[in-house]
mmCIF file of all heavy atoms in Angstrom:
data_model
loop_
_atom_site.group_PDB
_atom_site.id
_atom_site.type_symbol
_atom_site.label_atom_id
_atom_site.label_comp_id
_atom_site.label_asym_id
_atom_site.label_seq_id
_atom_site.Cartn_x
_atom_site.Cartn_y
_atom_site.Cartn_z
ATOM 1 N N ARG V 1 187.422 36.407 80.102
ATOM 2 C CA ARG V 1 186.929 35.987 78.790
ATOM 3 C C ARG V 1 186.240 37.164 78.106
ATOM 4 O O ARG V 1 185.291 37.739 78.659
ATOM 5 C CB ARG V 1 185.988 34.808 78.926
ATOM 6 C CG ARG V 1 186.694 33.514 79.342
ATOM 7 C CD ARG V 1 185.725 32.349 79.456
ATOM 8 N NE ARG V 1 186.440 31.112 79.729
ATOM 9 C CZ ARG V 1 186.845 30.725 80.937
ATOM 10 N NH1 ARG V 1 186.577 31.505 81.980
ATOM 11 N NH2 ARG V 1 187.490 29.593 81.103
ATOM 12 N N PRO V 2 186.659 37.515 76.893
ATOM 13 C CA PRO V 2 186.069 38.678 76.207
ATOM 14 C C PRO V 2 184.564 38.561 76.010
ATOM 15 O O PRO V 2 183.839 39.549 76.156
ATOM 16 C CB PRO V 2 186.794 38.685 74.854
ATOM 17 C CG PRO V 2 188.043 37.920 75.068
ATOM 18 C CD PRO V 2 187.736 36.893 76.109
ATOM 19 N N LEU V 3 184.070 37.363 75.703
ATOM 20 C CA LEU V 3 182.648 37.233 75.413
ATOM 21 C C LEU V 3 181.804 37.367 76.671
ATOM 22 O O LEU V 3 180.615 37.710 76.598
ATOM 23 C CB LEU V 3 182.379 35.914 74.693
ATOM 24 C CG LEU V 3 183.120 35.773 73.352
ATOM 25 C CD1 LEU V 3 182.638 34.546 72.600
ATOM 26 C CD2 LEU V 3 182.981 37.020 72.492
ATOM 27 N N SER V 4 182.407 37.131 77.846
ATOM 28 C CA SER V 4 181.698 37.394 79.094
ATOM 29 C C SER V 4 181.432 38.882 79.243
ATOM 30 O O SER V 4 180.359 39.298 79.700
ATOM 31 C CB SER V 4 182.516 36.884 80.291
ATOM 32 O OG SER V 4 182.692 35.495 80.231
ATOM 33 N N LEU V 5 182.407 39.694 78.841
ATOM 34 C CA LEU V 5 182.229 41.145 78.901
ATOM 35 C C LEU V 5 181.173 41.593 77.896
ATOM 36 O O LEU V 5 180.328 42.440 78.205
ATOM 37 C CB LEU V 5 183.561 41.846 78.617
ATOM 38 C CG LEU V 5 183.536 43.375 78.692
ATOM 39 C CD1 LEU V 5 183.214 43.843 80.113
ATOM 40 C CD2 LEU V 5 184.866 43.956 78.229
ATOM 41 N N VAL V 6 181.204 41.013 76.690
ATOM 42 C CA VAL V 6 180.198 41.346 75.679
ATOM 43 C C VAL V 6 178.801 41.030 76.206
ATOM 44 O O VAL V 6 177.874 41.836 76.096
ATOM 45 C CB VAL V 6 180.463 40.577 74.375
ATOM 46 C CG1 VAL V 6 179.329 40.811 73.375
ATOM 47 C CG2 VAL V 6 181.787 41.019 73.758
ATOM 48 N N ASP V 7 178.642 39.846 76.814
ATOM 49 C CA ASP V 7 177.336 39.451 77.343
ATOM 50 C C ASP V 7 176.896 40.360 78.484
ATOM 51 O O ASP V 7 175.707 40.692 78.610
ATOM 52 C CB ASP V 7 177.387 37.997 77.826
ATOM 53 C CG ASP V 7 177.557 37.006 76.679
ATOM 54 O OD1 ASP V 7 177.240 37.367 75.531
ATOM 55 O OD2 ASP V 7 178.030 35.880 76.941
ATOM 56 N N SER V 8 177.853 40.766 79.323
ATOM 57 C CA SER V 8 177.517 41.613 80.479
ATOM 58 C C SER V 8 177.131 43.028 80.086
ATOM 59 O O SER V 8 176.394 43.694 80.801
ATOM 60 C CB SER V 8 178.711 41.669 81.448
ATOM 61 O OG SER V 8 179.042 40.393 81.937
ATOM 62 N N LEU V 9 177.636 43.480 78.950
ATOM 63 C CA LEU V 9 177.423 44.868 78.529
ATOM 64 C C LEU V 9 176.572 44.959 77.268
ATOM 65 O O LEU V 9 176.778 45.825 76.426
ATOM 66 C CB LEU V 9 178.782 45.552 78.310
ATOM 67 C CG LEU V 9 179.647 45.700 79.558
ATOM 68 C CD1 LEU V 9 181.029 46.248 79.200
ATOM 69 C CD2 LEU V 9 178.978 46.614 80.574
ATOM 70 N N GLN V 10 175.610 44.065 77.143
ATOM 71 C CA GLN V 10 174.694 44.139 76.021
ATOM 72 C C GLN V 10 173.881 45.434 76.074
ATOM 73 O O GLN V 10 173.372 45.810 77.143
ATOM 74 C CB GLN V 10 173.745 42.940 76.023
ATOM 75 C CG GLN V 10 174.357 41.671 75.452
ATOM 76 C CD GLN V 10 174.653 41.810 73.966
ATOM 77 O OE1 GLN V 10 173.786 42.153 73.166
ATOM 78 N NE2 GLN V 10 175.904 41.554 73.603
ATOM 79 N N PRO V 11 173.739 46.140 74.949
ATOM 80 C CA PRO V 11 172.944 47.374 74.950
ATOM 81 C C PRO V 11 171.489 47.103 75.333
ATOM 82 O O PRO V 11 170.929 46.068 74.951
ATOM 83 C CB PRO V 11 173.045 47.857 73.492
ATOM 84 C CG PRO V 11 174.263 47.184 72.948
ATOM 85 C CD PRO V 11 174.335 45.862 73.641
ATOM 86 N N PRO V 12 170.868 47.998 76.086
ATOM 87 C CA PRO V 12 169.458 47.809 76.456
ATOM 88 C C PRO V 12 168.528 47.980 75.258
ATOM 89 O O PRO V 12 168.926 48.548 74.235
ATOM 90 C CB PRO V 12 169.236 48.906 77.494
ATOM 91 C CG PRO V 12 170.231 49.963 77.157
ATOM 92 C CD PRO V 12 171.439 49.234 76.646
ATOM 93 N N ALA V 13 167.343 47.485 75.382
ATOM 94 C CA ALA V 13 166.358 47.624 74.313
ATOM 95 C C ALA V 13 166.147 49.098 73.976
ATOM 96 O O ALA V 13 166.059 49.957 74.865
ATOM 97 C CB ALA V 13 165.033 46.988 74.749
ATOM 98 N N GLY V 14 166.084 49.394 72.692
ATOM 99 C CA GLY V 14 165.883 50.768 72.251
ATOM 100 C C GLY V 14 167.144 51.578 72.114
ATOM 101 O O GLY V 14 167.114 52.723 71.638
ATOM 102 N N SER V 15 168.302 50.999 72.530
ATOM 103 C CA SER V 15 169.575 51.723 72.427
ATOM 104 C C SER V 15 170.059 51.737 70.982
ATOM 105 O O SER V 15 169.862 50.770 70.244
ATOM 106 C CB SER V 15 170.634 51.054 73.313
ATOM 107 O OG SER V 15 171.908 51.583 73.044
ATOM 108 N N PRO V 16 170.709 52.836 70.557
ATOM 109 C CA PRO V 16 171.301 52.849 69.207
ATOM 110 C C PRO V 16 172.530 51.949 69.100
ATOM 111 O O PRO V 16 173.007 51.667 68.007
ATOM 112 C CB PRO V 16 171.675 54.318 69.003
ATOM 113 C CG PRO V 16 171.881 54.854 70.393
ATOM 114 C CD PRO V 16 170.892 54.117 71.248
ATOM 115 N N LEU V 17 173.063 51.504 70.248
ATOM 116 C CA LEU V 17 174.206 50.602 70.240
ATOM 117 C C LEU V 17 173.757 49.192 69.874
ATOM 118 O O LEU V 17 172.607 48.808 70.108
ATOM 119 C CB LEU V 17 174.879 50.583 71.611
ATOM 120 C CG LEU V 17 175.392 51.913 72.153
ATOM 121 C CD1 LEU V 17 175.981 51.712 73.535
ATOM 122 C CD2 LEU V 17 176.427 52.529 71.221
ATOM 123 N N VAL V 18 174.678 48.410 69.300
ATOM 124 C CA VAL V 18 174.364 47.039 68.922
ATOM 125 C C VAL V 18 175.503 46.114 69.329
ATOM 126 O O VAL V 18 176.643 46.537 69.494
ATOM 127 C CB VAL V 18 174.137 46.907 67.390
ATOM 128 C CG1 VAL V 18 172.925 47.703 66.949
ATOM 129 C CG2 VAL V 18 175.382 47.343 66.623
ATOM 130 N N GLY V 19 175.166 44.819 69.487
ATOM 131 C CA GLY V 19 176.177 43.784 69.682
ATOM 132 C C GLY V 19 177.171 44.084 70.777
ATOM 133 O O GLY V 19 176.825 44.236 71.947
ATOM 134 N N SER V 20 178.436 44.218 70.375
ATOM 135 C CA SER V 20 179.525 44.412 71.334
ATOM 136 C C SER V 20 179.885 45.872 71.540
ATOM 137 O O SER V 20 180.924 46.168 72.119
ATOM 138 C CB SER V 20 180.769 43.653 70.856
ATOM 139 O OG SER V 20 181.235 44.197 69.629
ATOM 140 N N ASP V 21 179.045 46.797 71.082
ATOM 141 C CA ASP V 21 179.381 48.226 71.201
ATOM 142 C C ASP V 21 179.680 48.629 72.639
ATOM 143 O O ASP V 21 180.593 49.413 72.903
ATOM 144 C CB ASP V 21 178.246 49.096 70.659
ATOM 145 C CG ASP V 21 178.202 49.134 69.140
ATOM 146 O OD1 ASP V 21 179.154 48.624 68.512
ATOM 147 O OD2 ASP V 21 177.225 49.665 68.586
ATOM 148 N N GLY V 22 178.921 48.081 73.596
ATOM 149 C CA GLY V 22 179.151 48.432 74.994
ATOM 150 C C GLY V 22 180.508 47.984 75.472
ATOM 151 O O GLY V 22 181.235 48.734 76.145
ATOM 152 N N ALA V 23 180.896 46.750 75.120
ATOM 153 C CA ALA V 23 182.200 46.235 75.529
ATOM 154 C C ALA V 23 183.327 46.995 74.834
ATOM 155 O O ALA V 23 184.341 47.327 75.453
ATOM 156 C CB ALA V 23 182.294 44.746 75.205
ATOM 157 N N ARG V 24 183.159 47.264 73.557
ATOM 158 C CA ARG V 24 184.186 47.993 72.798
ATOM 159 C C ARG V 24 184.404 49.380 73.396
ATOM 160 O O ARG V 24 185.544 49.804 73.633
ATOM 161 C CB ARG V 24 183.763 48.106 71.328
ATOM 162 C CG ARG V 24 183.805 46.791 70.552
ATOM 163 C CD ARG V 24 183.068 46.899 69.217
ATOM 164 N NE ARG V 24 183.638 47.904 68.361
ATOM 165 C CZ ARG V 24 184.491 47.672 67.355
ATOM 166 N NH1 ARG V 24 184.884 46.434 67.095
ATOM 167 N NH2 ARG V 24 184.947 48.664 66.613
ATOM 168 N N TYR V 25 183.322 50.097 73.636
ATOM 169 C CA TYR V 25 183.419 51.444 74.188
ATOM 170 C C TYR V 25 184.076 51.431 75.562
ATOM 171 O O TYR V 25 184.965 52.243 75.860
ATOM 172 C CB TYR V 25 182.027 52.065 74.259
ATOM 173 C CG TYR V 25 181.984 53.389 75.002
ATOM 174 C CD1 TYR V 25 182.447 54.555 74.392
ATOM 175 C CD2 TYR V 25 181.501 53.470 76.305
ATOM 176 C CE1 TYR V 25 182.419 55.765 75.064
ATOM 177 C CE2 TYR V 25 181.461 54.671 76.991
ATOM 178 C CZ TYR V 25 181.937 55.813 76.358
ATOM 179 O OH TYR V 25 181.911 57.013 77.032
ATOM 180 N N THR V 26 183.631 50.502 76.405
ATOM 181 C CA THR V 26 184.148 50.445 77.770
ATOM 182 C C THR V 26 185.640 50.166 77.805
ATOM 183 O O THR V 26 186.394 50.828 78.527
ATOM 184 C CB THR V 26 183.398 49.367 78.573
ATOM 185 O OG1 THR V 26 182.015 49.723 78.640
ATOM 186 C CG2 THR V 26 183.954 49.241 79.984
ATOM 187 N N LEU V 27 186.078 49.197 77.025
ATOM 188 C CA LEU V 27 187.504 48.852 77.014
ATOM 189 C C LEU V 27 188.359 50.032 76.570
ATOM 190 O O LEU V 27 189.369 50.363 77.203
ATOM 191 C CB LEU V 27 187.758 47.663 76.091
ATOM 192 C CG LEU V 27 187.589 46.274 76.691
ATOM 193 C CD1 LEU V 27 187.804 45.221 75.618
ATOM 194 C CD2 LEU V 27 188.561 46.059 77.845
ATOM 195 N N LEU V 28 187.976 50.674 75.475
ATOM 196 C CA LEU V 28 188.808 51.757 74.949
ATOM 197 C C LEU V 28 188.722 53.016 75.797
ATOM 198 O O LEU V 28 189.653 53.822 75.808
ATOM 199 C CB LEU V 28 188.422 52.057 73.498
ATOM 200 C CG LEU V 28 188.695 50.919 72.512
ATOM 201 C CD1 LEU V 28 188.436 51.380 71.087
ATOM 202 C CD2 LEU V 28 190.123 50.400 72.637
ATOM 203 N N ARG V 29 187.624 53.177 76.527
ATOM 204 C CA ARG V 29 187.525 54.336 77.417
ATOM 205 C C ARG V 29 188.319 54.136 78.697
ATOM 206 O O ARG V 29 188.982 55.058 79.188
ATOM 207 C CB ARG V 29 186.055 54.594 77.766
ATOM 208 C CG ARG V 29 185.885 55.605 78.896
ATOM 209 C CD ARG V 29 184.455 55.976 79.113
ATOM 210 N NE ARG V 29 184.304 56.714 80.366
ATOM 211 C CZ ARG V 29 183.239 57.431 80.686
ATOM 212 N NH1 ARG V 29 182.218 57.516 79.851
ATOM 213 N NH2 ARG V 29 183.180 58.053 81.840
ATOM 214 N N GLU V 30 188.261 52.931 79.251
ATOM 215 C CA GLU V 30 188.798 52.700 80.580
ATOM 216 C C GLU V 30 190.286 52.365 80.616
ATOM 217 O O GLU V 30 190.926 52.537 81.654
ATOM 218 C CB GLU V 30 188.019 51.567 81.258
ATOM 219 C CG GLU V 30 186.580 51.919 81.579
ATOM 220 C CD GLU V 30 186.488 53.121 82.503
ATOM 221 O OE1 GLU V 30 187.042 53.059 83.619
ATOM 222 O OE2 GLU V 30 185.879 54.127 82.099
ATOM 223 N N VAL V 31 190.843 51.853 79.521
ATOM 224 C CA VAL V 31 192.236 51.400 79.538
ATOM 225 C C VAL V 31 193.061 52.254 78.593
ATOM 226 O O VAL V 31 192.828 52.261 77.377
ATOM 227 C CB VAL V 31 192.337 49.910 79.132
ATOM 228 C CG1 VAL V 31 193.786 49.449 79.210
ATOM 229 C CG2 VAL V 31 191.454 49.043 80.028
ATOM 230 N N PRO V 32 194.053 52.995 79.088
ATOM 231 C CA PRO V 32 194.897 53.829 78.222
ATOM 232 C C PRO V 32 195.713 52.954 77.274
ATOM 233 O O PRO V 32 196.211 51.903 77.666
ATOM 234 C CB PRO V 32 195.801 54.581 79.208
ATOM 235 C CG PRO V 32 195.834 53.706 80.423
ATOM 236 C CD PRO V 32 194.494 53.037 80.500
ATOM 237 N N PHE V 33 195.840 53.377 76.027
ATOM 238 C CA PHE V 33 196.474 52.516 75.029
ATOM 239 C C PHE V 33 197.994 52.550 75.089
ATOM 240 O O PHE V 33 198.657 51.623 74.631
ATOM 241 C CB PHE V 33 196.000 52.905 73.625
ATOM 242 C CG PHE V 33 196.099 51.783 72.631
ATOM 243 C CD1 PHE V 33 195.384 50.613 72.820
ATOM 244 C CD2 PHE V 33 196.914 51.886 71.516
ATOM 245 C CE1 PHE V 33 195.467 49.566 71.914
ATOM 246 C CE2 PHE V 33 196.999 50.852 70.605
ATOM 247 C CZ PHE V 33 196.271 49.684 70.798
ATOM 248 N N ASP V 34 198.563 53.597 75.652
ATOM 249 C CA ASP V 34 200.019 53.730 75.625
ATOM 250 C C ASP V 34 200.695 53.187 76.887
ATOM 251 O O ASP V 34 201.910 53.241 77.010
ATOM 252 C CB ASP V 34 200.413 55.192 75.423
ATOM 253 C CG ASP V 34 199.936 56.100 76.549
ATOM 254 O OD1 ASP V 34 198.991 55.701 77.274
ATOM 255 O OD2 ASP V 34 200.484 57.207 76.700
ATOM 256 N N ARG V 35 199.924 52.644 77.826
ATOM 257 C CA ARG V 35 200.513 52.124 79.061
ATOM 258 C C ARG V 35 199.578 51.071 79.658
ATOM 259 O O ARG V 35 198.485 50.842 79.152
ATOM 260 C CB ARG V 35 200.760 53.252 80.069
ATOM 261 C CG ARG V 35 199.539 54.078 80.405
ATOM 262 C CD ARG V 35 199.931 55.352 81.151
ATOM 263 N NE ARG V 35 198.778 56.171 81.524
ATOM 264 C CZ ARG V 35 198.184 57.030 80.699
ATOM 265 N NH1 ARG V 35 198.606 57.181 79.462
ATOM 266 N NH2 ARG V 35 197.155 57.758 81.120
ATOM 267 N N ASP V 36 200.027 50.431 80.729
ATOM 268 C CA ASP V 36 199.216 49.402 81.363
ATOM 269 C C ASP V 36 197.989 50.018 82.044
ATOM 270 O O ASP V 36 198.016 51.166 82.478
ATOM 271 C CB ASP V 36 200.029 48.658 82.426
ATOM 272 C CG ASP V 36 201.181 47.865 81.830
ATOM 273 O OD1 ASP V 36 201.260 47.778 80.590
ATOM 274 O OD2 ASP V 36 201.996 47.331 82.605
ATOM 275 N N GLY V 37 196.929 49.206 82.128
ATOM 276 C CA GLY V 37 195.725 49.661 82.818
ATOM 277 C C GLY V 37 195.045 48.503 83.517
ATOM 278 O O GLY V 37 195.046 47.374 83.025
ATOM 279 N N ASP V 38 194.478 48.765 84.691
ATOM 280 C CA ASP V 38 193.754 47.737 85.436
ATOM 281 C C ASP V 38 192.311 47.658 84.946
ATOM 282 O O ASP V 38 191.696 48.679 84.621
ATOM 283 C CB ASP V 38 193.770 48.036 86.933
ATOM 284 C CG ASP V 38 195.058 47.581 87.586
ATOM 285 O OD1 ASP V 38 195.363 46.386 87.499
ATOM 286 O OD2 ASP V 38 195.762 48.429 88.172
ATOM 287 N N PHE V 39 191.784 46.434 84.919
ATOM 288 C CA PHE V 39 190.401 46.230 84.501
ATOM 289 C C PHE V 39 189.605 45.655 85.665
ATOM 290 O O PHE V 39 190.039 44.699 86.313
ATOM 291 C CB PHE V 39 190.324 45.282 83.309
ATOM 292 C CG PHE V 39 188.916 44.995 82.883
ATOM 293 C CD1 PHE V 39 188.220 45.903 82.113
ATOM 294 C CD2 PHE V 39 188.277 43.831 83.282
ATOM 295 C CE1 PHE V 39 186.908 45.661 81.737
ATOM 296 C CE2 PHE V 39 186.964 43.573 82.908
ATOM 297 C CZ PHE V 39 186.283 44.494 82.129
#
């Protein structure tokens, strides 16, 4: 569930990140866009 990932990767207090930034960054960093990737 995508929102489970958002909840798990909430930015810590004082972070410049907001909302789903942690989940967005993690997904695009960890999974290559041109081929399959394991999560």
Side-chain angles (χ1 to χ4, degrees):
R1 290 181 175 82
L3 300 189
S4 297
L5 182 64
V6 174
D7 292 339
S8 299
L9 296 174
Q10 280 294 306
S15 169
L17 302 178
V18 296
S20 64
D21 283 351
R24 290 166 60 99
Y25 172 76
T26 298
L27 274 177
L28 295 187
R29 169 173 168 164
E30 293 301 301
V31 182
F33 205 61
D34 62 340
R35 55 193 181 277
D36 294 352
D38 278 302
F39 177 80

